[in-house]
Amino acid sequence: KELPLWQKVVSGIAAGAIGAAVGNPADVAMVRMQADGRLPPDQRRNYKNVFDGLVRIGREEGVFALWNGVAPTVARAMVVTASQFAAYDQIKEMLLSTGYFADNPVTHFSSGFLAGFVASCTSNPVDVIKTRIMNMKPGQYSGPIDCTIKTVQAEGIMALYKGFVPTFVRQAPFVIVTFVTLEQIKKFFAYIDSR
């Protein structure tokens, strides 16, 4: 029996939130390392690697600084995971109901591609805000809502979709491979159980 859409969304939200909260410290270090090259030399952090970044952030700024941006990171993960899982299942069910598609890798690929597009559309604004908060100067934004308002006022609504093409080009293959692989593993275990 297929789950209703709302249960798929809630499952994705919960899984995404937990994973993002646990992974936030590494995300903070990674975002800072990526941004370092754009900073003037006297403002660069020059972390040797992600582990050095984690230790130095904790030592120099306090352990809680490792969770800077956790709200938008969790929000992003909730949006991405919920949209990927729910969109994939709904699209797959819709394709199968047409009678033109069978439960096979072509359908899984097509569903994954479209789910990747949906996930990119829903996550890109959160990615933009999350990155800006993680890179902000102290006091630049009071939180994600303030950052969103200031970004839209200064640059327009499309600023929330900066980097959409790279996001989609990264996300679509990931979602396709994830779900094609998941479907094949499910079929393998169904085959094992039937023996």
Side-chain angles (χ1 to χ4, degrees):
K1 178 183 179 242
E2 292 293 334
L3 293 174
L5 177 60
W6 73 269
Q7 288 180 351
K8 294 172 191 174
V9 171
V10 169
S11 298
I13 286 171
I18 293 166
V22 170
N24 198 77
D27 202 20
V28 170
M30 179 199 68
V31 166
R32 289 181 177 190
M33 289 172 70
Q34 289 172 334
D36 235 18
R38 294 189 306 267
L39 294 173
D42 62 315
Q43 293 179 16
R44 292 182 184 160
R45 295 172 177 101
N46 295 315
Y47 301 142
K48 293 176 191 149
N49 54 51
V50 72
F51 301 108
D52 179 52
L54 292 169
V55 170
R56 284 187 44 207
I57 291 167
R59 191 179 309 136
E60 295 167 13
E61 301 173 48
V63 174
F64 291 115
L66 294 167
W67 279 272
N68 279 351
V70 72
T73 300
V74 167
R76 178 203 184 273
M78 291 165 55
V79 166
V80 170
T81 308
S83 61
Q84 282 175 354
F85 280 83
Y88 176 81
D89 273 353
Q90 288 302 117
I91 292 165
K92 179 181 154 194
E93 287 174 24
M94 287 172 29
L95 292 176
L96 292 173
S97 72
T98 66
Y100 295 109
F101 290 85
D103 193 3
N104 61 31
V106 171
T107 302
H108 307 152
F109 179 94
S110 302
S111 302
F113 179 83
L114 293 170
F117 181 76
V118 170
S120 298
C121 289
T122 58
S123 69
N124 208 86
V126 183
D127 279 339
V128 169
I129 299 307
K130 174 184 79 87
T131 301
R132 288 178 183 217
I133 287 176
M134 286 182 170
N135 282 318
M136 73 179 177
K137 295 177 179 79
Q140 186 175 0
Y141 306 114
S142 63
I145 293 171
D146 182 51
C147 180
T148 304
I149 290 167
K150 287 178 177 173
T151 298
V152 171
Q153 285 175 339
E155 303 171 50
I157 193 78
M158 292 311 291
L160 300 176
Y161 285 92
K162 284 185 176 179
F164 178 81
V165 172
T167 295
F168 177 64
V169 168
R170 180 192 75 220
Q171 197 144 39
F174 169 78
V175 176
I176 292 166
V177 171
T178 297
F179 287 110
V180 169
T181 303
L182 174 67
E183 295 287 359
Q184 297 311 304
I185 291 169
K186 284 168 46 178
K187 286 186 182 200
F188 172 75
F189 282 118
Y191 170 76
I192 297 295
D193 285 346
S194 69
R195 300 195 80 200

